[in-house]
Amino acid sequence: MKSPRRRLVPLPLRDVEIDGPFWSPRVQTNREVTIPAVYEEYKRTGRIGAFRLRWKPGRPRQPHVFWDSDVAKWLEGLCSTLVTHPDAARRRLADRTARLIASAQQPDGYLNTHYTVVEPDARWGNLRDRHELYCAGHLMEAAVAHRQATGSMVLLDALCRYADLIDRAFGRGRGKQRGYPGHEEIELALVRLWRATGQRRYLNLAKYFIDERGREPHYFRLEAERRGEPSGPFMPGHFINRQAHRPVREQTEAVGHAVRAMYLYSGMADVAAETGDAALCAACRRLWRSATERKMYVTGGVGARHQGEAFGDDWELPNAGAYAETCAAIGLVFFAHRMLQADGDGRYADVMERALYNGALSGVSLDGRRFFYVNPLASDGSHHRREAFACSCCPPNVVRLLASLGAYVYSRDDRALWVHLYLGGTATATLAGQPVTLTVATRYPWDGDVRATVATEKPVTFSLMLRVPGWCRRHTLRVNGRPVAARVSKGYARIRRRWSDGDRVDLSLAMPVERVAAHPLVEADAGKVALQRGPVVYCLEGCDHPVDVRRIALADRSRLTARFDPRLLGGTVVIEGTGLVRPEPGGREALYEQDRPAVGRRVRIRAIPYCLWDNRRAGTMAVWLPRA
Amino acid sequence: MKSPRRRLVPLPLRDVEIDGPFWSPRVQTNREVTIPAVYEEYKRTGRIGAFRLRWKPGRPRQPHVFWDSDVAKWLEGLCSTLVTHPDAARRRLADRTARLIASAQQPDGYLNTHYTVVEPDARWGNLRDRHELYCAGHLMEAAVAHRQATGSMVLLDALCRYADLIDRAFGRGRGKQRGYPGHEEIELALVRLWRATGQRRYLNLAKYFIDERGREPHYFRLEAERRGEPSGPFMPGHFINRQAHRPVREQTEAVGHAVRAMYLYSGMADVAAETGDAALCAACRRLWRSATERKMYVTGGVGARHQGEAFGDDWELPNAGAYAETCAAIGLVFFAHRMLQADGDGRYADVMERALYNGALSGVSLDGRRFFYVNPLASDGSHHRREAFACSCCPPNVVRLLASLGAYVYSRDDRALWVHLYLGGTATATLAGQPVTLTVATRYPWDGDVRATVATEKPVTFSLMLRVPGWCRRHTLRVNGRPVAARVSKGYARIRRRWSDGDRVDLSLAMPVERVAAHPLVEADAGKVALQRGPVVYCLEGCDHPVDVRRIALADRSRLTARFDPRLLGGTVVIEGTGLVRPEPGGREALYEQDRPAVGRRVRIRAIPYCLWDNRRAGTMAVWLPRA
C-alpha cells in the first residue's frame, strides 16, 4: 500500500539480509536463544495457556490485563524470524500460537483473555488504565506479521473481526463511545492493519483515536465518573502521563509515560503519512524535537523519571537515577524510522542509530537470556539484567526489534535506493523496473569502511543515497576506485549514475574516538565527557578497573586509543587511555570539602560499549566521566 | 529542668542578645515586618478566626487540618520576640491570640479547629494523614513560649489539659489506642512541655510515640482498615514517607518526607537526652550521618525530591530539581542543635551554621515579605518567592526560627561557656556561682575576626569553648593581646583560666574564598565547584551577568576576590572574578556534540550569598559552576 505522503518506503524484511560482525550474532542469538527462552517463560507463567480461557476465580495465574500484549509481541518477533530464516519447527510454533489466540475470540469478535475470564462485565470500562485497546493493537501487529510470514489468514481474520468490533464501539457516530486508549499502541497497529488489508476503515479508526485524544469533555473523566470514582486531584497527572492533557495537535512537549508517548507519536506519524495531515506532521516534528533535543540520553534512552516511567523536564537527565526503559528506546526507534520515511532526513536516522546501538540493545544480555527494564547511565554495582519480569513488556519488544531489524536498514523512493544503516548483508529492490541487489560488506561499527557492490542483470539508472552519519566529521567516497565528490544533503550522499553489474562504492567514514559533551544545561553531565566512537557510546565498567569507576576522571589531553579485542565480549572495540582517580575525601567521609587540585592516582582505563555492560562480573559503571 | 544525658544546656533566649551586621537587621525585619504580615495573611485567610469555631458546612474558609499549626508557629515566634524585645502591642496580640486559642478548647480538653467544626465524628480517625497530633504539638510549643514570654498560664493550662486527653487516648494501657502521628512534631513538643512543667507523663508519652512508631501490627494499616480503605499497594510508600516502615531504633537511613524526618529525629534526640537511651542515641547518630553526609545540599537543604517532599537516595542531589523545603532546613537546625547539646561536637554546629546561613535563611526575602517553600540550587529564572502559600508551613517556621535565634548561639555545662555561632552581642550565664557576661563584637560572616570580652564582678574560673568552624583551615587566638595555643578538640578551642573583668579574647578565623567540591558520587555536582567564604555559600545571579549564569564555567586558576559592597542587598560581601561562557552549541541546538576545548567568551562574574538571591530582578541562578 503506497502512502501518499511518505517520501520513502522501507524495503521490507523479506528483501533484506543482515551479514555483519556486530548484528549477525545478536540476531542469531535472538532467534535461537531468546525466542525459545521467552516462550518457556510465558508458558511457565500462564501467559500462553491464558488463551485457553480456562481460568476460574480463585485459581492461580489469573490473566493480567497486559498478558495478551506480551504474547503478541513475542509472536510478532517469531513470525519475523520466519521471513528471514524459515524453519519448520518455528513455523509450527507460530501457527499453533496463532490458532490458540484466535480460539480465544468470542462470538462477537472480542478477544482479550483478562476481560473474557476475569471481568466479563467490565469490558471497555476503564480505557484509561487497563490496557484493553493496547493489547488489541499488539494482537493486530502479530496478526499482520503472521500473515506476512506464513500466508495464513487465521489470526489476521480474527483480528480484523476484532478491529471491526472496536470500530463499532468507538468513534463519533451514534451509539458509539468517544473513547481512546490509556496506553497508546492501537493507532499504529491499525495503520499496519490498513496497509496489510487495504480496508480504509482501519485507517479512519486510527485517525479517530488520534483526533479524539485529549479533547473536552474529557473521556477519561466521564469514564471515571461512570465507574463512580472521584475525579479528583489525580486526574491532571493521569492525563499528562497518557498524553491526553490536550488534543495531540496542540501538544508541543514530549511528556508523560515515555513508551506511551513513543507509540502515540509513531501512530501520529503513520496517520500523517497516510493522510497528508500537515498539522499532525508539524506536531510530530515539534514532539520529535522536544524528545530528542532536550530529553534524550546520549544512549538514545528516553523517559528519565522512574515516577510514572515518564519524560522529565528539559535537560532533566540524571545518570544513576535514569529510568530509560528499554521499551522506550525501542519506541524511539519506531518513531525515528517513521519520521525518516516521511522526511528523508538523516537526523532521524542519527537518532535511530543511537538508540539501536546503545539504549535499546543494552536491554538484552549478550547470551540473550537476561534483560534490562531500566537502563541507567551510571551504577553503584547493584543494577543487573534479570531473566524475567512480572511486567514483561521489554523482553518481547527486544525480540521483535531484533527479529525485524532488516526492515530498518534501507528505503526506496521512485528514483533512489537509500541506505540508512551499515549493518552488512544484501538488499534487493526494483529500481527503474529492474531488480537490483546491493551487497554491503563492512565491519561497521568497529570501523567505518563500507563497500557496497551492485548486482544487476542490465545497467540501470538510479540514485544511491548513502547516509553520512551526524557523528562523522570526515568521509571519502569512491566509485570503482575513483574518488567522487557527492553532495551531502540532509545527511545523505547522493550518487546518481547508470549502475552496471559489479559497480563498487567505497564509503570511508572517519571514526576516531570522540569526547562528547552534553548541552550546558544538562546538569548531570556538566563538566563531563562521554566517549563515543562511530555510533557506539562507551562506558567504564568496574571489572576492568581497580576502583569504583564513578571516581575516575579524564584529562582533556589524555590520549585515547581504540583497539579491537577479539576475545572480549564476543569481540569488541575497546577504548583505552589513562584516567585520574579522584582522591578519596580525607578523614571522615565528607560530603563537601575544599576543592583540591584535580590530581589523583593515574589509572589505566578501558571503556567498552555501553550496550555490552553487565555481561561479566557485577560492578560499578559510568558513561559520563568528569573532566580532570 | 536538667536533662541527665545532655552534655550541654543551651543558654535561654532571655540571656542572649544579638548585635551584629548580618543577623540584627534580619531579626528586626522578622519582628517588625514578617510577624505582622503573616498575621494579616492568617486573618485574611480565616486561620485566626477559625478558633472562634463559627464555621458551618457550606461556608467559605473551612478550617484546614493544618491551620492550627500555622497559627501556633506564628504565635510561638511572636512570643519569642517578647522575650528579646518587650513591647506592649505585641504583648496584647500574643495574649489575645492565646486566649482565642484556649477558647476553642472543648469541655473534655480537645483542641483542634478542623475536627471540632468540620469532622466532629472523625476525631483520631486518620492519624496517618490528617495532622491532628502534629497540630497539637505545635500548640504545645506555642503554649510553652507564651508562658515563658509572659508568665501567663492561660494557654499552657489549656495545652496541658489537651496533652492529658491525648495521654488518656494513646498508649499501651488498657482502652488506649496504640497510635502515633503521621506527621511527627508532638514528640519534641511533649519533651518541651515536660521541661516546662516537670510533669513526667509528657516525657513518657513522647517516649511512647517514638517507641511505638513502625511496630507490627502496624497502626496505620489497622487504622486504614477501620476506615474501610484498601490497605493496598500504597501502604509501603506511606510508611516510608512517614518514617514508620520499621521501629525507629532499627532505622539506619534518612528517608521519606524530610520535615517529618527532621522533627522525628529531633524528638528522638530529646527523648534520648532525657532518658539516656543508648540505642536511641545510636539511631540518632546513624540517621544524622545518613542525612548530612550523603543527602544534604551544600546549602544545608535536605529532602531532595519533590515527590513526597522526601529524601532521595544517597548522593541524589539535583540542583535545578531540588526540593529542599525551607521547613526541612529549619528542621535540620533543630536536629543539629539537639545533637550538639548531647555530644558537644562541632560537626553538629557546622551543619547547623550551614543550614542557618544558607538554606534556611533563603526561605525569606530581605524585606521579610516573601517566602520560598522550595529552595533549588539552580534556576532557569522562573522560581521566585511568594507572599503566601495555601500550605503555609514555611513562613511561620522562619518567623519562629529568627525570633528565637539567640537560643542557638551559646551553651553551658558545669565548667564551661560554649560559643557555637558568632552572631555578635552578649550572653549572660552563671559560671562557678558567678554571673558572667560575654560580649562578642564581630562582623562575621563578612570577616573572621571575633572579639569576646568578659564582664564579671569577681574573677571566676571557667573554660571558654570557642568554636573553630569546620570550614576554617587556619585560625589564631589571643587573650588580652597575647597569643595562646589552645587545643582544638571536636571543633572547639578551650581556654580555661581565671577570668577577670575586661579580659579580652581575639579569635581570628582565616576566611579566604574557597572552591568547594562535592563527593565524587554526587552526580549533579561532579566536575563542578561551589564558592563558599566562611559559612556563606555563594551563587551567580542572572541580573549581575549578561548571560544565563548556568552557562558560566570557572577555570581552576581564575583568581577570585572578596569585597564588601555596602550598597548591595543591604550590604554584603561579593566574590568577583572571571568566568568562561560555555559556547552555544553550534548550528542547530545540539543535545550532544563533539566536545570542544573548554574555552569561551570571558565574562566578569560576581557571586552573591545564596541566601540573598531573588531579591532583585528575576533571572537565572546557579550555585555549582562547571570547571572550565
Side-chain angles (χ1 to χ4, degrees):
Chain A
M1 191 66 43
K2 177 100 169 64
S3 306
R5 308 288 165 158
R6 280 199 296 187
R7 281 197 54 190
L8 313 186
V9 179
L11 289 200
L13 190 55
R14 68 180 69 250
D15 295 336
V16 178
E17 187 197 312
I18 294 171
D19 180 12
F22 187 90
W23 288 105
S24 291
R26 304 303 295 261
V27 170
Q28 183 180 358
T29 300
N30 183 58
R31 193 168 62 239
E32 296 177 358
V33 179
T34 310
I35 285 179
V38 170
Y39 182 65
E40 289 306 316
E41 171 68 14
Y42 285 180
K43 272 210 300 194
R44 191 184 66 75
T45 53
R47 281 169 166 84
I48 302 290
F51 286 98
R52 297 201 179 87
L53 305 179
R54 292 190 192 138
W55 182 85
K56 293 280 182 296
R59 295 245 187 105
R61 307 201 295 189
Q62 170 183 314
H64 192 281
V65 290
F66 53 58
W67 275 10
D68 292 1
S69 71
D70 293 339
V71 176
K73 285 193 285 187
W74 167 84
L75 176 60
E76 183 192 340
L78 175 65
C79 292
S80 293
T81 70
L82 294 175
V83 174
T84 58
H85 296 79
D87 172 89
R90 271 189 277 114
R91 167 72 195 265
R92 281 192 301 274
L93 179 59
D95 288 345
R96 198 166 67 228
T97 310
R99 284 193 303 270
L100 175 63
I101 294 173
S103 76
Q105 187 161 41
Q106 300 302 293
D108 65 351
Y110 189 75
L111 211 182
N112 181 299
T113 60
H114 172 86
Y115 277 98
T116 300
V117 299
V118 182
E119 301 183 87
D121 300 327
R123 195 196 277 190
W124 311 136
N126 186 346
L127 298 188
R128 190 187 72 190
D129 302 324
R130 308 281 283 161
H131 293 69
E132 215 168 349
L133 292 171
Y134 167 84
C135 284
H138 277 303
L139 287 170
M140 289 172 198
E141 290 207 86
V144 172
H146 184 248
R147 166 77 170 84
Q148 288 171 343
T150 65
S152 159
M153 292 296 289
V154 61
L155 193 55
L156 190 61
D157 276 347
L159 267 296
C160 285
R161 289 181 59 212
Y162 190 17
D164 294 341
L165 175 74
I166 294 168
D167 190 36
R168 290 192 300 274
F170 296 100
R172 297 217 177 77
R174 180 190 289 268
K176 293 183 176 189
Q177 292 192 52
R178 293 183 69 154
Y180 45 86
H183 194 314
E184 304 92 323
E185 150 67 22
I186 197 169
E187 301 87 347
L188 69 86
L190 283 164
V191 176
R192 200 165 168 183
L193 200 60
W194 134 251
R195 286 175 181 156
T197 63
Q199 298 296 321
R200 193 166 183 95
R201 63 182 177 279
Y202 302 140
L203 174 62
N204 292 342
L205 183 57
K207 183 169 162 11
Y208 156 76
F209 281 134
I210 282 169
D211 289 347
E212 188 62 25
R213 190 164 210 87
R215 285 184 195 267
E216 294 291 348
H218 204 291
Y219 185 77
F220 293 160
R221 187 181 292 118
L222 301 175
E223 185 195 64
E225 285 166 8
R226 280 201 298 270
R227 291 194 301 272
E229 283 173 22
S231 66
F234 297 108
M235 272 293 180
H238 272 309
F239 293 176
I240 291 171
N241 188 260
R242 287 147 179 78
Q243 297 82 39
H245 50 302
R246 62 179 66 138
V248 299
R249 284 170 187 73
E250 296 169 21
Q251 296 188 24
T252 56
E253 187 182 351
V255 294
H257 189 268
V259 178
R260 285 176 163 89
M262 291 297 120
Y263 287 12
L264 169 65
Y265 306 160
S266 296
M268 287 164 62
D270 279 338
V271 168
E274 300 298 342
T275 62
D277 180 331
L280 200 55
C281 265
C284 287
R285 290 198 190 97
R286 276 196 309 272
L287 293 165
W288 170 269
R289 293 197 61 168
S290 171
T292 64
E293 295 183 4
R294 293 183 292 282
K295 300 188 176 193
M296 179 184 72
Y297 285 98
V298 71
T299 55
V302 287
R305 285 191 190 160
H306 281 247
Q307 177 69 21
E309 307 184 312
F311 280 101
D313 294 331
D314 284 352
W315 327 120
E316 179 188 334
L317 295 163
N319 292 310
Y323 197 70
E325 182 181 339
T326 301
C327 283
I330 292 172
L332 180 58
V333 171
F334 298 161
F335 184 28
H337 187 235
R338 283 158 171 86
M339 296 302 285
L340 178 58
Q341 309 312 312
D343 285 1
D345 189 325
R347 65 180 167 150
Y348 300 115
D350 287 343
V351 168
M352 181 171 82
E353 185 181 52
R354 186 184 287 283
L356 269 178
Y357 278 90
N358 303 291
L361 186 57
S362 59
V364 60
S365 66
L366 206 48
D367 68 6
R369 296 184 181 282
R370 287 168 301 124
F371 307 92
F372 276 146
Y373 197 104
V374 170
N375 294 271
L377 279 77
S379 170
D380 63 5
S382 63
H383 187 71
H384 304 295
R385 292 189 188 83
R386 290 167 47 194
E387 294 201 350
F389 308 95
C391 178
S392 178
C393 50
C394 296
N397 238 349
V398 170
V399 160
R400 65 185 186 136
L401 177 72
L402 289 177
S404 64
L405 188 63
Y408 296 87
V409 187
Y410 305 95
S411 296
R412 43 156 302 164
D413 62 19
D414 291 342
R415 294 180 301 180
L417 177 64
W418 297 63
V419 186
H420 307 303
L421 301 172
Y422 299 109
L423 269 48
T426 61
T428 306
T430 298
L431 293 153
Q434 179 72 24
V436 174
T437 298
L438 190 75
T439 301
V440 175
T442 182
R443 291 185 44 72
Y444 190 100
W446 304 139
D447 71 39
D449 294 331
V450 178
R451 168 166 292 187
T453 309
V454 174
T456 174
E457 279 187 28
K458 296 189 290 192
V460 55
T461 298
F462 65 92
S463 294
L464 186 63
M465 305 292 284
L466 293 175
R467 175 167 158 262
V468 179
W471 54 259
C472 180
R473 292 197 279 183
R474 197 166 40 78
H475 73 280
T476 61
L477 202 51
R478 290 164 190 271
V479 175
N480 296 328
R482 279 190 300 278
V484 295
R487 196 168 74 92
V488 178
S489 170
K490 288 189 175 179
Y492 288 82
R494 172 193 299 266
I495 311 174
R496 181 164 180 84
R497 57 177 275 144
R498 189 170 164 85
W499 298 93
S500 299
D501 190 56
D503 276 352
R504 203 175 73 227
V505 179
D506 288 291
L507 172 65
S508 182
L509 302 163
M511 197 183 274
V513 177
E514 300 273 11
R515 288 168 164 84
V516 175
H519 191 285
L521 295 183
V522 181
E523 183 169 274
D525 303 336
K528 300 180 196 170
V529 293
L531 302 182
Q532 186 173 336
R533 182 172 173 274
V536 179
V537 173
Y538 280 74
C539 68
L540 301 189
E541 202 175 12
C543 59
D544 292 318
H545 301 88
V547 296
D548 183 334
V549 298
R550 296 171 301 163
R551 288 182 179 277
I552 297 177
L554 187 64
D556 285 351
R557 59 191 173 283
S558 173
R559 197 164 147 264
L560 297 168
T561 55
R563 177 176 68 80
F564 185 74
D565 184 337
R567 289 175 312 280
L568 185 67
L569 293 163
T572 182
V573 166
V574 295
I575 298 175
E576 294 169 320
T578 302
L580 291 170
V581 180
R582 290 279 304 260
E584 299 271 340
R588 60 173 191 246
E589 196 177 11
L591 183 49
Y592 303 104
E593 60 174 10
Q594 279 93 6
D595 189 40
R596 285 176 288 189
V599 296
R601 190 151 56 84
R602 289 160 62 93
V603 62
R604 289 289 299 164
I605 60 172
R606 177 164 81 166
I608 62 160
Y610 171 77
C611 63
L612 296 178
W613 88 278
D614 196 39
N615 278 294
R616 295 175 294 166
R617 233 173 35 248
T620 56
M621 184 275 289
V623 170
W624 290 96
L625 310 179
R627 306 167 84 143
Chain B
M1 192 65 42
K2 177 102 166 66
S3 307
R5 308 290 167 156
R6 280 201 293 188
R7 281 196 55 190
L8 314 185
V9 179
L11 289 200
L13 191 55
R14 69 180 68 251
D15 296 336
V16 177
E17 186 197 313
I18 294 171
D19 180 11
F22 187 91
W23 288 105
S24 291
R26 304 304 294 262
V27 170
Q28 182 181 359
T29 300
N30 184 59
R31 194 170 59 239
E32 296 177 358
V33 179
T34 310
I35 285 179
V38 171
Y39 181 66
E40 289 306 315
E41 171 69 13
Y42 285 0
K43 272 210 300 193
R44 190 184 65 76
T45 54
R47 282 170 167 82
I48 302 289
F51 286 98
R52 296 200 179 87
L53 305 179
R54 291 189 193 140
W55 181 86
K56 293 280 182 296
R59 296 247 187 102
R61 307 201 294 189
Q62 172 182 312
H64 192 282
V65 290
F66 51 59
W67 275 10
D68 292 0
S69 71
D70 293 339
V71 176
K73 285 193 287 186
W74 167 82
L75 176 60
E76 182 192 339
L78 174 65
C79 291
S80 293
T81 70
L82 295 176
V83 174
T84 58
H85 296 79
D87 173 270
R90 272 189 277 114
R91 168 72 195 262
R92 282 193 301 274
L93 179 60
D95 288 344
R96 196 167 69 229
T97 310
R99 283 193 303 271
L100 175 63
I101 294 173
S103 76
Q105 187 161 42
Q106 300 301 295
D108 64 352
Y110 188 77
L111 211 182
N112 180 298
T113 60
H114 172 86
Y115 278 97
T116 300
V117 299
V118 183
E119 300 182 87
D121 301 328
R123 194 196 279 191
W124 310 137
N126 186 348
L127 298 189
R128 188 186 74 191
D129 302 324
R130 307 282 282 162
H131 294 67
E132 214 169 351
L133 291 171
Y134 166 85
C135 284
H138 277 303
L139 287 170
M140 289 172 200
E141 290 206 87
V144 171
H146 185 247
R147 166 77 170 82
Q148 288 171 346
T150 66
S152 160
M153 293 296 290
V154 62
L155 193 56
L156 189 62
D157 277 347
L159 267 296
C160 285
R161 289 181 60 213
Y162 190 17
D164 293 340
L165 175 75
I166 294 169
D167 189 37
R168 289 192 299 274
F170 296 100
R172 298 217 176 77
R174 181 190 289 267
K176 294 183 175 188
Q177 292 191 52
R178 293 183 68 154
Y180 46 86
H183 195 314
E184 304 92 323
E185 152 65 21
I186 196 171
E187 301 86 348
L188 70 84
L190 282 164
V191 175
R192 200 165 168 183
L193 200 60
W194 133 250
R195 287 176 181 155
T197 63
Q199 298 295 323
R200 193 166 184 95
R201 64 181 177 280
Y202 301 140
L203 175 62
N204 291 342
L205 183 58
K207 183 169 161 13
Y208 157 76
F209 281 135
I210 282 170
D211 289 347
E212 189 63 25
R213 192 166 206 86
R215 284 184 195 267
E216 293 292 348
H218 204 291
Y219 184 78
F220 293 160
R221 186 180 294 119
L222 301 175
E223 184 196 64
E225 285 166 9
R226 281 201 299 270
R227 292 194 302 270
E229 282 174 21
S231 66
F234 297 107
M235 272 293 180
H238 272 309
F239 294 175
I240 291 171
N241 189 260
R242 288 148 179 77
Q243 298 81 38
H245 51 301
R246 62 179 66 139
V248 299
R249 285 171 187 74
E250 297 168 22
Q251 295 188 24
T252 56
E253 189 182 349
V255 294
H257 189 269
V259 179
R260 285 176 163 89
M262 290 297 121
Y263 287 12
L264 169 64
Y265 306 160
S266 296
M268 288 165 61
D270 279 339
V271 168
E274 300 298 341
T275 62
D277 181 331
L280 199 56
C281 266
C284 288
R285 291 199 189 96
R286 278 197 307 272
L287 293 164
W288 170 269
R289 294 197 58 167
S290 171
T292 63
E293 296 183 3
R294 293 184 292 282
K295 301 188 175 192
M296 178 185 75
Y297 285 99
V298 70
T299 55
V302 287
R305 287 191 187 158
H306 282 247
Q307 177 69 20
E309 307 184 312
F311 279 101
D313 293 331
D314 285 350
W315 327 119
E316 180 187 336
L317 294 163
N319 292 310
Y323 197 70
E325 183 181 339
T326 302
C327 284
I330 292 172
L332 181 59
V333 171
F334 298 162
F335 184 26
H337 187 235
R338 283 157 170 87
M339 295 301 285
L340 177 58
Q341 311 311 312
D343 285 0
D345 189 325
R347 64 180 168 150
Y348 301 115
D350 287 344
V351 168
M352 182 171 81
E353 184 181 53
R354 186 184 286 284
L356 269 178
Y357 278 91
N358 303 291
L361 186 58
S362 58
V364 60
S365 64
L366 204 49
D367 68 6
R369 296 185 180 281
R370 289 168 300 124
F371 307 91
F372 276 146
Y373 196 104
V374 170
N375 294 271
L377 279 78
S379 171
D380 63 4
S382 62
H383 187 71
H384 304 295
R385 292 189 187 82
R386 289 166 48 195
E387 293 200 353
F389 308 95
C391 178
S392 178
C393 51
C394 296
N397 239 348
V398 169
V399 160
R400 65 184 186 137
L401 177 73
L402 289 177
S404 65
L405 188 63
Y408 296 86
V409 188
Y410 306 94
S411 295
R412 42 156 302 165
D413 62 18
D414 290 342
R415 294 180 301 181
L417 178 63
W418 298 64
V419 186
H420 307 305
L421 300 171
Y422 300 109
L423 269 47
T426 62
T428 306
T430 299
L431 292 154
Q434 179 72 25
V436 174
T437 297
L438 190 75
T439 301
V440 175
T442 182
R443 290 184 45 74
Y444 190 100
W446 303 139
D447 71 38
D449 295 330
V450 177
R451 168 168 291 187
T453 307
V454 174
T456 173
E457 280 187 26
K458 296 189 292 190
V460 54
T461 298
F462 65 90
S463 294
L464 186 63
M465 306 291 285
L466 294 175
R467 176 166 158 262
V468 178
W471 54 259
C472 180
R473 293 197 279 183
R474 198 165 40 77
H475 71 280
T476 60
L477 201 51
R478 288 164 192 270
V479 175
N480 296 330
R482 279 189 301 278
V484 295
R487 198 168 73 90
V488 178
S489 172
K490 289 188 173 178
Y492 287 82
R494 173 193 298 266
I495 310 174
R496 183 166 179 81
R497 57 176 274 143
R498 189 171 165 84
W499 298 93
S500 300
D501 190 56
D503 277 351
R504 200 175 77 227
V505 180
D506 288 292
L507 171 65
S508 182
L509 303 163
M511 197 183 272
V513 176
E514 299 273 12
R515 289 169 162 85
V516 176
H519 191 285
L521 295 183
V522 180
E523 184 168 273
D525 302 336
K528 300 180 194 168
V529 293
L531 303 182
Q532 187 173 335
R533 183 171 172 275
V536 179
V537 174
Y538 280 74
C539 68
L540 300 188
E541 202 175 12
C543 58
D544 292 317
H545 301 88
V547 296
D548 183 334
V549 297
R550 297 171 301 163
R551 289 182 178 277
I552 297 178
L554 187 64
D556 285 350
R557 61 191 170 282
S558 173
R559 197 164 145 264
L560 297 168
T561 55
R563 178 176 66 82
F564 185 76
D565 184 337
R567 289 176 313 280
L568 185 67
L569 292 162
T572 182
V573 167
V574 295
I575 297 174
E576 294 169 320
T578 304
L580 290 169
V581 181
R582 290 278 305 259
E584 300 271 340
R588 62 175 189 246
E589 195 178 12
L591 182 50
Y592 303 103
E593 61 174 10
Q594 279 94 4
D595 189 40
R596 286 176 287 189
V599 295
R601 189 152 56 85
R602 289 159 63 92
V603 63
R604 289 290 298 166
I605 60 171
R606 176 164 82 165
I608 62 160
Y610 171 77
C611 62
L612 295 179
W613 87 277
D614 195 40
N615 278 294
R616 294 175 294 165
R617 234 174 34 248
T620 57
M621 185 276 290
V623 170
W624 290 95
L625 309 179
R627 305 166 83 143

